[in-house]
């Protein structure tokens, strides 16, 4: 007859409870942790609830609630007439030893940010996880906007009182028909208003059926990557350019090829040399981050490339409303006669980024497929923000706000230009800024760029290095990638002037 394994008695040492917080929850967590890390091994007998309550100076009800939770989750079991024991789980020791060696947490959640760093290094990693290691976004800038944060409009000027009234009106008596599962392409009223806005402000002839509402421009770009590309396809992106777009294409398995940008935009002669290229991503109205505008000759050449190669063009018009002389330029999509351009727009640069509301204007033959593809990812957009934005546009608030934002951005640009530091070694002059919400300034070399960025950060001013916008495998020498990128719309004029004063002082110190 085999001997029963030796089971150590329960030892309450080390269980320390904070009397200011829920005692039953703390006791449950403490006992659970001991089961997971092996201090309470399978088969260990636990004290009766009355006894443990006396040992820990708790009410019996607190112990009963903790035991009940452990019972429900399978950590302990009751043996009729014999008491309460840690469950006998044959695979528990193997799972725990493996889990603990990989850093398994014994807290309530077994997820930690550290796990994401090495998840793709496990034996059975997927290809998308492998791609994600080198193609992900940096953490967003935290805290309130400050000079000279890039990508932030003057949302201190947004009419939140108007928005709040419209929001309250919608939710006070919502139409039950809108509270179920909606159209994955978006609310019909908003799509019709977006189509009308595109026709009026951009000269882009389109209908509501060609509009798909998205969670911002980034989701629109990701949808293009998912639905237009196969693993191994080549995608041309501007270099320097919007790195998040390149990451989206890379995650889809595409080979991202950087194409040089000059004073007329993407170099289409270089693009023509990229064989078997499936898609080109461009920001023609205000190139990100250099700020140049794609010339008409280049636009026509790019459209010709798409037609000859049966390729696609993703046109990201992220801040096209901000043009400081004349009307906004007609987009590539308005010139497209072959249905090869997918136009990406966003409300984030007019309202505020946290709104997460953007849209795609699609060639008619792609509209249904993109709606179906989006439904598999998020089913449909949140109804409240769509309906409120539709009402915001229908009542004329949107157009008035665009005019207000354009005036404010122009005024803030002028303050930046007037106060820009001069005679700083290695730093270029402030160029003319005819569009957009940011500006690129030349710097002599990479080392000087990094020094200027560090000194700015030391005095609480955000300045982005141009070198961070280049693809890592770029053939352009490092010193030729140097520069500074500054957003000028995020904060009022007084804060801009004060930040410039700090920069002048910091940058002139040797």
């Amino acid at each position: 007859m085999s001997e029963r394994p030796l089971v150590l008695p329960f030892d309450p040492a080390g269980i320390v409870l904070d009397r200011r917080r829920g005692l039953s929850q703390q006791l449950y967590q403490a006992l659970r942790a001991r089961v997971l890390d092996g201090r309470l091994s399978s088969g260990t007998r636990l004290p009766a609830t009355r006894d443990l309550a006396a040992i820990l100076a708790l009410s019996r009800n607190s112990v009963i609630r903790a035991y009940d939770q452990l019972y429900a989750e399978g950590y302990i079991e009751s043996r009729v007439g014999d008491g309460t024991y840690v469950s006998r789980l044959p695979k528990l020791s193997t799972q725990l030893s493996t889990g603990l060696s990989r850093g398994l947490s014994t807290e309530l959640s077994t997820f930690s940010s550290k796990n994401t760093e090495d998840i793709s290094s496990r034996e059975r990693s997927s290809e998308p996880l492998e791609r994600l290691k080198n193609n992900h976004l940096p953490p967003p800038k935290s805290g309130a906007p400050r000079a000279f944060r890039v990508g932030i409009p003057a949302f201190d000027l947004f009419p939140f009182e108007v928005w709040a009234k419209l929001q309250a009106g919608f939710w006070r008596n919502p139409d039950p028909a809108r509270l179920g599962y909606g159209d994955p392409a978006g609310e019909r009223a908003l799509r019709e208003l977006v189509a009308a806005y595109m026709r009026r402000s951009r000269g882009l002839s389109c209908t509501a059926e060609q509009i798909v509402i998205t969670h911002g421009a980034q989701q629109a770009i990701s949808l293009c990557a998912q639905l237009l590309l196969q693993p191994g396809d080549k995608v041309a992106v501007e270099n320097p350019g919007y790195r998040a777009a390149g990451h989206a294409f890379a995650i889809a398995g595409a080979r991202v090829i950087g194409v040089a940008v000059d004073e007329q935009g993407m170099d289409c002669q270089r693009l023509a040399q990229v064989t078997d290229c499936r898609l080109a991503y461009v920001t023609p109205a205000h190139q990100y981050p250099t700020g140049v505008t794609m010339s008409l000759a280049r636009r026509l050449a790019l459209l010709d490339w798409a037609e000859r190669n049966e390729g696609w063009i993703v046109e990201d018009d992220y801040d096209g409303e901000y043009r400081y002389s004349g009307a906004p330029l007609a987009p590539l999509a308005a010139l497209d006669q072959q249905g090869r351009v997918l136009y990406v727009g966003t409300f984030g640069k007019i309202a505020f980024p946290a709104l997460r509301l953007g849209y795609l204007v699609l060639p008619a033959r792609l509209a249904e497929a993109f709606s179906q593809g989006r439904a598999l990812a998020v089913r449909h957009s949140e109804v409240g923000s769509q309906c409120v934005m539709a009402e915001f546009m229908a009542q004329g608030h949107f157009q008035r706000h665009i005019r207000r934002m354009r005036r404010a951005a122009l005024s803030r640009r002028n303050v930046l230009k007037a106060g820009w530091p001069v005679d700083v070694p290695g730093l270029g002059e402030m160029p003319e800024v005819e569009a957009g919400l940011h500006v690129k300034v030349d710097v002599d070399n990479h080392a000087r760029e990094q020094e200027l960025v560090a000194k700015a950060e030391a005095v609480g001013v955000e300045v982005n290095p141009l070198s961070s916008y280049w693809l890592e495998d770029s053939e352009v020498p490092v010193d030729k990638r140097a520069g500074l990128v500054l957003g000028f719309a995020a904060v009022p004029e007084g804060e801009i002037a004060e930040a410039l004063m700090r920069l002048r002082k910091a940058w002139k110190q040797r």
Side-chain angles (χ1 to χ4, degrees):
M1 183 171 151
S2 61
E3 295 183 4
R4 294 183 63 184
L6 177 64
V7 176
L8 297 176
F10 173 78
D11 181 2
I15 297 181
V16 179
L17 306 178
D18 183 349
R19 304 284 163 171
R20 297 167 298 179
R21 299 190 295 117
L23 295 173
S24 61
Q25 181 72 359
Q26 291 181 71
L27 179 58
Y28 153 73
Q29 292 176 0
L31 294 175
R32 177 184 179 275
R34 282 160 174 72
V35 173
L36 286 174
D37 65 20
R39 284 177 288 172
L40 284 177
S41 58
S42 293
T44 299
R45 182 173 182 173
L46 298 180
T49 55
R50 191 183 306 279
D51 295 338
L52 186 55
I55 293 170
L56 298 176
L58 301 175
S59 72
R60 188 183 177 201
N61 283 340
S62 293
V63 179
I64 289 173
R65 285 194 293 270
Y67 274 23
D68 285 346
Q69 185 66 29
L70 293 166
Y71 278 128
E73 296 182 8
Y75 292 105
I76 62 176
E77 59 190 19
S78 178
R79 301 179 189 173
V80 178
D82 194 22
T84 301
Y85 292 80
V86 176
S87 298
R88 292 188 179 277
L89 301 174
K91 297 181 180 179
L92 184 61
S93 60
T94 301
Q95 292 171 343
L96 283 177
S97 62
T98 303
L100 291 172
S101 69
R102 292 181 181 173
L104 179 66
S105 170
T106 57
E107 300 300 324
L108 281 180
S109 171
T110 57
F111 176 85
S112 74
S113 59
K114 292 183 291 186
N115 291 344
T116 61
E117 295 176 6
D118 54 15
I119 188 171
S120 57
S121 65
R122 294 178 183 174
E123 242 177 78
R124 300 192 62 180
S125 176
S126 68
E127 286 189 16
L129 285 176
E130 286 292 334
R131 297 180 199 127
L132 190 61
K133 287 197 297 185
N134 297 316
N135 295 281
H136 57 268
L137 298 177
K141 301 283 188 180
S142 60
R146 56 176 176 160
F148 293 98
R149 186 169 295 178
V150 175
I152 301 294
F155 54 68
D156 55 303
L157 300 179
F158 188 76
F160 289 104
E161 289 186 4
V162 172
W163 188 265
K165 288 179 181 177
L166 295 175
Q167 188 94 20
F170 173 79
W171 287 114
R172 190 175 296 118
N173 187 26
D175 182 353
R178 285 176 164 165
L179 301 183
Y181 291 103
D183 188 334
E187 288 293 307
R188 178 76 189 191
L190 180 57
R191 290 159 54 210
E192 287 179 344
L193 285 161
V194 169
Y197 173 66
M198 286 289 100
R199 292 193 297 268
R200 183 179 64 253
S201 71
R202 297 292 194 277
L204 175 51
S205 179
C206 61
T207 65
E209 285 73 22
Q210 293 173 256
I211 308 293
V212 171
I213 303 299
T214 62
H215 289 303
Q218 189 62 35
Q219 189 193 41
I221 296 167
S222 293
L223 269 175
C224 294
Q226 294 164 18
L227 299 179
L228 299 180
L229 300 174
Q230 299 182 59
D233 281 349
K234 293 179 184 176
V235 172
V237 299
E238 297 165 327
N239 198 25
Y242 181 48
R243 295 295 301 278
H247 292 329
F249 298 130
I251 291 297
R255 294 173 57 194
V256 178
I257 310 295
V259 177
V261 172
D262 60 22
E263 66 279 358
Q264 295 187 60
M266 178 182 275
D267 187 337
C268 291
Q269 289 186 348
R270 296 276 188 92
L271 173 62
Q273 296 169 9
V274 181
T275 58
D276 301 320
C277 186
R278 177 70 172 160
L279 183 150
Y281 168 85
V282 290
T283 53
H286 184 237
Q287 200 275 330
Y288 190 85
T290 66
V292 301
T293 298
M294 182 178 282
S295 66
L296 177 60
R298 289 280 176 87
R299 292 173 187 236
L300 296 176
L302 186 56
L303 290 168
D304 182 62
W305 167 87
E307 181 180 354
R308 284 186 290 103
N309 293 275
E310 296 186 345
W312 301 106
I313 300 170
V314 175
E315 177 182 17
D316 188 351
D317 193 19
Y318 63 98
D319 64 359
E321 284 82 7
Y322 295 93
R323 187 110 191 134
Y324 305 120
S325 58
L329 300 180
L332 275 169
L335 302 174
D336 178 24
Q337 300 297 314
Q338 305 299 323
R340 287 286 163 189
V341 178
L342 297 85
Y343 178 97
V344 176
T346 179
F347 292 104
K349 297 295 188 285
I350 286 295
F352 47 92
L355 183 62
R356 303 317 305 146
L357 204 56
Y359 50 91
L360 271 165
V361 184
L362 297 155
R365 66 182 186 275
L366 293 181
E368 184 177 0
F370 269 69
S371 178
Q372 293 169 343
R374 186 170 186 273
L376 293 176
V378 293
R379 195 62 183 264
H380 62 93
S381 293
E382 187 272 325
V383 65
S385 58
Q386 291 186 84
C387 291
V388 172
M389 178 56 78
E391 196 64 26
F392 190 74
M393 296 177 77
Q395 293 185 15
H397 301 298
F398 184 66
Q399 281 298 129
R400 284 192 292 273
H401 185 57
I402 288 176
R403 291 193 291 270
R404 183 187 307 120
M405 293 290 274
R406 192 180 292 131
R407 288 194 300 269
L410 177 60
S411 176
R412 295 176 184 192
R413 180 208 72 171
N414 291 342
V415 173
L416 173 61
K417 183 176 180 180
W420 184 244
V422 295
D423 300 326
V424 176
L427 179 66
E429 296 180 355
M430 175 62 58
E432 294 295 326
V433 182
E434 297 180 351
L437 298 172
H438 70 266
V439 60
K440 185 268 291 184
V441 180
D442 292 331
V443 176
D444 280 356
N445 57 71
H446 183 259
R448 184 59 173 151
E449 173 204 76
Q450 296 298 301
E451 182 183 9
L452 292 172
V453 170
K455 286 185 174 182
E457 186 62 33
V459 295
V461 179
E462 287 183 19
V463 177
N464 286 357
L466 179 65
S467 59
S468 66
Y469 294 86
W470 291 79
L471 295 177
E472 293 175 3
D473 60 354
S474 174
E475 296 179 356
V476 176
V478 172
D479 284 343
K480 295 293 185 181
R481 306 180 202 175
L484 301 178
V485 182
L486 302 93
F488 51 78
V491 295
E493 289 85 340
E495 293 183 42
I496 291 174
E498 199 273 334
L500 287 169
M501 184 172 62
R502 297 203 304 272
L503 281 185
R504 283 194 293 272
K505 184 176 179 181
W507 284 350
K508 290 187 177 182
Q509 289 177 345
R510 300 298 292 175

